Amino acid sequence: MDNEKLPTLAQTWLNIQTSLFPWLSEELGELTAKQQELVTTLEMIRIEE
């Protein structure tokens, strides 16, 4: 895999904060701190891939 194509930590965190958390909050209601930690961890390890 080409390292230039990998998202940086800052890009990933920005995506989580600006896209994923708002979308999840709309769908499920406000997330607790523990839920946000879980979502962040799963997104960082790319569990779906």
Side-chain angles (χ1 to χ4, degrees):
M1 184 179 290
D2 188 350
N3 285 340
E4 290 181 16
K5 293 181 182 177
L6 292 175
T8 66
L9 181 58
Q11 289 170 325
T12 301
W13 182 240
L14 182 64
N15 181 53
I16 291 169
Q17 286 185 309
T18 62
S19 298
L20 188 54
F21 283 161
W23 178 77
L24 286 171
S25 291
E26 283 182 25
E27 295 294 318
L28 305 173
E30 198 62 34
L31 300 175
T32 66
K34 286 290 184 188
Q35 289 169 326
Q36 288 183 359
E37 287 178 29
L38 175 62
V39 168
T40 301
T41 301
L42 294 174
E43 184 66 16
M44 296 300 288
I45 64 172
R46 311 287 302 169
I47 194 81
E48 76 279 0
E49 290 182 2

